[in-house]
Amino acid sequence: MFDIKKIRDDFPILSRKVYGKNLIYLDNAATTQKPLCVIEKISEMYSSFNANVHRAVHFLSDASTNEYEAARTVIKNFINAEKSSEIIFTKGTTDAINLVAFSYGERFIEKGDVILVAESEHHSNIVPWQMLCQRKHAILKSIPINDKGEIDFDKYIELLTEKVKIVAVAQVSNSLGTINDIRKIIEKAHEFNAKVLIDGAQGVQHFKTDVQELNCDFYVFSGHKIYAETGIGVLYGKHELLEQMPPYQGGGDMIKSVSFAKTEYADLPLKFEAGTPNYMGAVSLGEAIKYITQIDLENIQTYETELANYAEEKLETVENLKKIGTAAKKTGVVSFQLGNIHPYDAGMILDKLGIAVRTGTHCAEPVMHHFGILGTIRASFAFYNTKEEIDELCLGLLRVQKMFH
Ligand code: PLP
């Protein structure tokens, strides 16, 4: 059973006040709040298990390594990877994309090759590819979106040729909430032997993701957007691809042996985890995933869909509100403009009412260029938000309008 009261009690920060008002946190696409079990797990780790992983023979190091590797298994099961060695811990989504762009790119991308990304991508799924293209004299092309914020599939097909080596798209757009049809995108790319990286930063926390069923080549996401700590993320890659890729960084832990004549690299996944990893973050991610698994992602999805539909309808009643991004399939992200009020001004006033929303370009400037705007106000929901909070948001927006007229 989905008990919203109990769920909200699991997140201590939700009961705090901001400027004397109840906190209404609607910036979940930027980062999510943490449940008590994750906070307690981190505290327990520092109180009882802290030692560097994969290093020493002593008790604490062994315990800490076991926790770290157990978290890897939790993540493997969560996204249904075939092997734990396909799960690489990174600093986050950005770090994971840079890893692939650098390592896969170094080995496989040549002059004149084409990389496709959607026009709606987050900067972190554009810039690393742009940098790769500059290094390799390859060509970055964008797949256009339509005016609803959906990837234009016909244009995508037109762009696919044998020259395309990588297609990198988000499962869900962070600025618009569009759920992209990644299954179809992957299938088509594979017909041209292109590899596909899916940026799951805004998808993995909302619905069940099965990387084997999707048949994506790479899948990346961030811990902090799925109720875990910051500074931890995941790169999933197909084993045979990761095997062929050179290490991204050199250092301790990623080697079997080192001499000045020759260094032999460690097997997967450690080959890509140079230096002391963020084992605390990894354990927190394992714990966060156990938490949402116990609530059940299907229950979460059902609740979040109801909440998103409510928000979409309710916001329609706010005069002069123009939604940006009206895709047929969306998560709980609503981007909008309020008359000619600058999003930043609206955000500041909402903040004083205890309502946290994001304003600006959401690290997706090409999306803003597409719509010819400077930015939006974005409300993004998690499964601990409520319809009452959405009502408060609408009242807050009316207050903003009154102040400006
Ligand atoms: N991709 C998408 C779709 C995102 O929403 C974000 C963050 O907002 C990122 C990538 C970058 O994530 P991080 O900053 O955790 O690396």
Side-chain angles (χ1 to χ4, degrees), residues 29 92-94 122 124 170 172 174 199 201-202 222 224-225:
T93 303
T94 306
H122 188 282
S124 63
V172 174
N174 69 305
D199 172 352
Q202 300 291 345
S222 296
H224 70 99
K225 293 183 196 286

Side-chain angles (χ1 to χ4, degrees), residues 336-349 359-360 374-377 400 404:
F336 55 90
Q337 294 192 304
L338 202 56
N340 55 9
I341 299 168
H342 196 287
Y344 184 78
D345 290 333
M348 291 282 283
I349 295 168
T359 57
L374 290 175
T376 71
I377 304 162
V400 172
F404 276 86

Side-chain angles (χ1 to χ4, degrees), residues 264-318:
E264 212 187 323
Y265 303 134
D267 293 330
L268 291 172
L270 299 189
K271 181 172 87 174
F272 290 110
E273 293 181 359
T276 298
N278 182 0
Y279 52 93
M280 291 297 181
V283 172
S284 84
L285 179 53
E287 196 63 25
I289 287 176
K290 279 192 237 163
Y291 172 73
I292 57 174
T293 304
Q294 163 240 315
I295 297 172
D296 195 331
L297 258 185
E298 270 186 31
N299 289 336
I300 288 177
Q301 192 182 352
T302 306
Y303 180 81
E304 286 184 345
T305 305
E306 197 184 317
L307 205 60
N309 290 343
Y310 183 79
E312 293 281 353
E313 275 174 31
K314 189 82 199 200
L315 285 166
E316 288 288 335
T317 64
V318 178

Side-chain angles (χ1 to χ4, degrees), residues 16-297:
R16 73 156 289 171
K17 303 248 180 218
V18 173
Y19 310 116
K21 307 266 187 332
N22 290 333
L23 167 69
I24 297 180
Y25 185 76
L26 303 178
D27 193 16
N28 294 286
T31 200
T32 53
Q33 302 303 344
K34 318 305 168 199
L36 202 55
C37 61
V38 168
I39 299 167
E40 282 173 349
K41 184 72 190 179
I42 297 163
S43 171
E44 184 200 348
M45 283 290 291
Y46 277 117
S47 316
S48 307
F49 295 113
N50 181 42
N52 207 333
V53 293
H54 299 144
R55 300 267 161 106
V57 291
H58 59 75
F59 178 88
L60 285 186
S61 178
D62 197 38
S64 168
T65 304
N66 287 343
E67 292 274 356
Y68 182 60
E69 291 305 328
R72 200 189 301 276
T73 306
V74 168
I75 293 153
K76 170 213 162 246
N77 292 337
F78 184 61
I79 60 170
N80 194 31
E82 196 189 338
K83 303 176 172 133
S84 290
S85 56
E86 295 175 319
I87 304 297
I88 314 290
F89 285 118
T90 66
K91 284 190 287 180
T93 303
T94 306
D95 191 36
I97 297 173
N98 275 279
L99 191 165
V100 177
F102 186 86
S103 170
Y104 188 86
E106 232 23 57
R107 171 79 29 110
F108 293 105
I109 298 301
E110 290 172 0
K111 189 174 174 189
D113 285 345
V114 173
I115 294 168
L116 296 182
V117 300
E119 192 184 3
S120 46
E121 293 310 306
H122 188 282
H123 296 160
S124 63
N125 202 21
I126 299 175
V127 184
W129 304 114
Q130 224 162 23
M131 290 161 72
L132 168 64
C133 287
Q134 278 162 7
R135 284 197 305 274
K136 293 285 191 160
H137 304 286
I139 303 154
L140 181 67
K141 292 188 183 174
S142 71
I143 313 164
I145 53 172
N146 62 24
D147 287 342
K148 289 178 170 177
E150 296 161 331
I151 288 178
D152 185 327
F153 204 74
D154 293 336
K155 300 252 170 66
Y156 169 56
I157 305 280
E158 280 170 27
L159 285 167
L160 276 173
T161 66
E162 295 296 338
K163 278 277 167 205
V164 176
K165 294 295 181 288
I166 297 173
V167 176
V169 290
Q171 192 170 19
V172 174
S173 145
N174 69 305
S175 57
L176 305 173
T178 311
I179 302 175
N180 292 321
D181 191 344
I182 51 172
R183 195 180 303 267
K184 242 164 82 179
I185 289 170
I186 295 165
E187 253 174 48
K188 272 287 156 201
H190 284 167
E191 285 176 22
F192 290 81
N193 294 320
K195 302 293 178 234
V196 185
L197 178 141
I198 299 297
D199 172 352
Q202 300 291 345
V204 72
Q205 65 281 56
H206 297 302
F207 35 77
K208 181 83 194 119
T209 297
D210 181 329
V211 290
Q212 289 192 73
E213 196 196 339
L214 282 173
N215 196 22
C216 53
D217 301 287
F218 302 103
Y219 185 87
V220 298
F221 63 95
S222 296
H224 70 99
K225 293 183 196 286
I226 184 168
Y227 314 104
E229 274 194 305
T230 52
I232 189 71
V234 169
L235 162 64
Y236 156 81
K238 282 183 182 163
H239 195 271
E240 70 268 21
L241 292 178
L242 294 174
E243 278 284 13
Q244 295 172 61
M245 288 160 51
Y248 174 43
Q249 294 183 322
D253 248 18
M254 53 74 74
I255 50 89
K256 270 185 189 153
S257 67
V258 178
S259 76
F260 285 106
K262 185 172 181 281
T263 289
E264 212 187 323
Y265 303 134
D267 293 330
L268 291 172
L270 299 189
K271 181 172 87 174
F272 290 110
E273 293 181 359
T276 298
N278 182 0
Y279 52 93
M280 291 297 181
V283 172
S284 84
L285 179 53
E287 196 63 25
I289 287 176
K290 279 192 237 163
Y291 172 73
I292 57 174
T293 304
Q294 163 240 315
I295 297 172
D296 195 331
L297 258 185

